[in-house]
Amino acid sequence: MNKNYFSDKVVLITGGASGIGRELCFQLGHKGAKVIVADINTELSSDLIDRLKDHKINSGYHNLDVSNYEAFESLLKNIVQNHGSIDIVINNAGVACAGEVRDLSIEKWRQVMKVNLEGVINGSVASYKEMCLQGYGQIVNIASMAGLTAFPISVPYGTSKFAVVGLTKSLRLEGKGLGIKVNTICPGYIDTPLLANTEIINADRDTFLSKIPFKLITVEKAVQIILKGVEKNKAQLIFPRYARVLNKLGHFFPGLLEWQLSKSVKDFRAIRQLKN
């Protein structure tokens, strides 16, 4: 493994102002990368850029709505014009909501799809086209273990992540002969603002979060694992261990996994609050 893999690489990170994205900025910056933060939240992004400068990290910020393809395309062309290339694009921006499908408005579905799916499609397509012109590059799409197995009580989120997994695996095959690496990242539960701020429909937030059956992995550890996988050009990185176990259960013991997931539905219904 080349310890200087990220040195001097121009890296664009969507959803870079918080959570996984924020930690990616610091860890990549300390590895010598030129970090470009793309986020719709200007306040968080401004604070991040100040802190990155305090750490002597070469960084910049662009306000970006990932659901706007033209804006994404324009940003990438701007990066190439100003930096000479775009080496890595990490499509990380995401949102989530939890609740039974019968309680979710169609607007909730659209919100999740707009960011988690349209945003990744836009980032993947725009960066892929730019990388084809320069003859190299790497696209890293942050999916989830929810994109590998059924994910009841967060069906819109799971639906978007299934699509991201399919998109990324297919794009990897097209990119192989063109010098472009494409990686799917499928983490389990990470201790980030995305999880903490997930909108819970018709259930108490604290009670819902307390029922997560697995220990949360720290964002620092998660990003260390992600970057090692990116450096090794892993086709699909699934972590931590329980996420890999669940994935294998789905393949080899689907009945057992279905029983476990059905139990999670039953547990949620025990705390579901009926509307008057």
Side-chain angles (χ1 to χ4, degrees), residues 107-234:
E107 285 74 20
K108 297 297 180 189
W109 279 85
R110 288 170 178 158
Q111 180 186 21
V112 172
M113 294 301 160
K114 181 178 178 181
V115 178
N116 293 9
L117 182 52
E118 285 186 43
V120 175
I121 291 172
N122 291 340
S124 296
V125 173
S127 57
Y128 187 77
K129 289 179 180 293
E130 203 64 48
M131 290 172 182
C132 283
L133 294 175
Q134 64 187 22
Y136 62 90
Q138 188 164 8
I139 299 168
V140 181
N141 289 338
I142 307 296
S144 168
M145 72 174 189
L148 303 172
T149 183
F151 209 64
I153 311 303
S154 294
V155 177
Y157 184 79
T159 301
S160 69
K161 296 302 183 178
F162 256 92
V164 168
V165 169
L167 159 68
T168 313
K169 292 171 87 170
S170 300
L171 189 60
R172 179 180 175 89
L173 296 176
E174 287 198 22
K176 269 188 174 182
L178 299 174
I180 302 168
K181 304 172 184 177
V182 186
N183 316 106
T184 313
I185 311 298
C186 297
Y189 291 99
I190 303 174
D191 190 6
T192 67
L194 174 65
L195 181 60
N197 297 328
T198 294
E199 185 176 3
I200 315 299
I201 309 299
N202 284 6
D204 177 73
R205 170 181 300 280
D206 292 338
T207 305
F208 174 81
L209 294 177
S210 71
K211 290 185 175 295
I212 293 175
F214 305 105
K215 181 180 179 181
L216 302 185
I217 185 172
T218 67
V219 70
E220 293 82 6
K221 180 63 177 177
V223 169
Q224 289 172 9
I225 294 170
I226 290 169
L227 293 182
K228 285 181 181 178
V230 170
E231 185 171 350
K232 291 179 179 179
N233 190 29
K234 288 275 190 179

